[in-house]
Amino acid sequence: MGCGGRTNSHMARDSWPVSTRPVALVTGATAGIGEAIARRLQSRDHEVIATGRNEQALDALRARGLCARNLDVTDHGAVAALVEEIDTRFGGVDVLVNNAGLGFASPLEQAAMGDLRRILETNVVAMLNLCQTVLPGMRSRRAGTIVNIGSTGGRFTTPGAGAYHISKYGVEALSDALRAEVERFGVRVILIEPTGVRTTFAQSQLGATPIDEGDDPYGEFKRRYAEITAELAKTPLVSVSADKVARVVVRAIEAKRPRARYVVGMSGKASVIAHCLLTDRMWDRVLLKRLNPTS
């Protein structure tokens, strides 16, 4: 059983059941990958605290028996309060799945600094803050698993989504450094790198700025980027389902000796290999073949 019925968006502590099951905190769990992970962990007998900001989706999670909480991961005070609640009621977070994230597409020349800060705050800073918040408890128990949902976009860069790639490269560095630092405390850090995922998240990548081909020097480029991204998001061979990513996450959590990183999706694996084999000039030429109006 999970939290059961919802009393309000800030449920009282004593409405949470005492549980001896592993406790998993999953961010960005109201849709897509996060929702699939939360449901799979629940089916694997975890006590799941699923967080997000869509109240209707949170209600649906509660109806399935999950503890669902409204949480803005960039609100560090709210994060600290939630983890304190979990520590008090359940004895701590055993598994943290950092899934919450934002997409963003724009030529870097036109990327507003406010948008860049928002992307970095959500995709990188909030992730590190969540890690810092659960780590004292994990260190004291000398056990715990942190799963960071990154992207193959942290291994290579495509034009048109530079700000997003900057954030995902940050997730790579965060995960690699943290893994080495906390291993001696019995805490495992696992990085999941999906290729394109067939969710509504892909739609958020289709352009952050209006496309005006008349006055916009990047107008044609952005139009082609939006078309190609929409096409790829619907192509089974170059994208994966949210549930496939969730299966890999659960397998990694349950592994006795998980790998440091898991690339999910054949197209993602092929792209990572190609990026290693091609020169920078060759890589750029391949990417710009359909994007560049003069190519």
Side-chain angles (χ1 to χ4, degrees):
M1 296 294 293
C3 283
R6 169 177 171 246
T7 55
N8 54 55
S9 61
H10 302 284
M11 284 191 302
R13 289 183 187 177
D14 51 3
S15 69
W16 292 28
V18 175
S19 174
T20 58
R21 296 181 291 171
V23 176
L25 172 58
V26 182
T27 67
T30 53
I33 296 173
E35 181 183 8
I37 293 170
R39 291 183 176 185
R40 280 202 166 267
L41 285 174
Q42 182 191 35
S43 72
R44 301 294 292 178
D45 203 33
H46 282 69
E47 187 73 58
V48 180
I49 293 86
T51 72
R53 293 187 293 175
N54 183 321
E55 201 58 55
Q56 184 176 359
L58 290 170
D59 281 339
L61 292 172
R62 293 181 185 111
R64 292 180 60 91
L66 285 87
C67 294
R69 297 297 300 270
N70 192 308
L71 179 70
D72 177 354
V73 294
T74 65
D75 184 339
H76 296 188
V79 167
L82 177 59
V83 172
E84 183 181 1
E85 267 188 79
I86 297 171
D87 289 345
T88 300
R89 189 62 181 174
F90 297 111
V93 176
D94 299 301
V95 178
L96 168 65
V97 181
N98 276 312
N99 172 71
L102 295 175
F104 183 77
S106 171
L108 282 175
E109 181 184 349
Q110 297 179 337
M113 292 299 100
D115 287 328
L116 178 59
R117 293 186 182 96
R118 181 171 57 91
I119 296 298
L120 293 175
E121 183 69 35
T122 302
N123 293 4
V124 183
V125 177
M127 180 179 287
L128 177 56
N129 178 63
L130 275 149
C131 293
Q132 291 177 340
T133 307
V134 302
L135 271 169
M138 290 182 173
R139 282 192 294 100
S140 68
R141 296 186 300 275
R142 301 198 68 81
T145 300
I146 295 173
V147 179
N148 294 331
I149 306 299
S151 168
T152 52
R155 302 282 289 275
F156 56 82
T157 305
T158 56
Y164 175 75
H165 285 285
I166 290 169
S167 74
K168 290 305 180 180
Y169 270 73
V171 171
E172 294 276 327
L174 185 163
S175 301
D176 285 341
L178 189 65
R179 183 181 65 252
E181 292 170 356
V182 302
E183 181 182 19
R184 66 183 184 276
F185 302 118
V187 180
R188 311 181 306 175
V189 177
I190 303 165
L191 177 62
I192 307 294
E193 302 171 325
T195 187
V197 182
R198 294 189 293 275
T199 69
T200 55
F201 180 82
Q203 297 301 314
S204 68
Q205 296 253 109
L206 299 184
T209 55
I211 299 175
D212 181 359
E213 296 183 27
D215 299 325
D216 187 349
Y218 293 98
E220 174 65 10
F221 173 90
K222 288 191 287 190
R223 183 186 65 78
R224 294 187 182 209
Y225 178 90
E227 290 176 352
I228 294 168
T229 303
E231 176 186 323
L232 293 177
K234 299 175 183 177
T235 305
L237 292 178
V238 296
S239 59
V240 295
S241 68
D243 192 61
K244 181 171 183 177
V245 180
R247 292 199 302 270
V248 173
V249 169
V250 172
R251 187 169 73 244
I253 290 171
E254 294 181 343
K256 290 184 178 179
R257 297 186 64 184
R259 301 200 299 267
R261 52 176 35 84
Y262 292 77
V263 178
V264 186
M266 291 304 298
S267 65
K269 294 175 183 177
S271 295
V272 170
I273 293 171
H275 186 251
C276 292
L277 296 176
L278 297 177
T279 65
D280 290 339
R281 190 180 297 277
M282 293 168 64
W283 178 258
D284 290 347
R285 188 177 299 123
V286 169
L287 294 180
L288 289 172
K289 187 174 182 180
R290 292 181 62 189
L291 281 171
N292 195 334
T294 62
S295 62

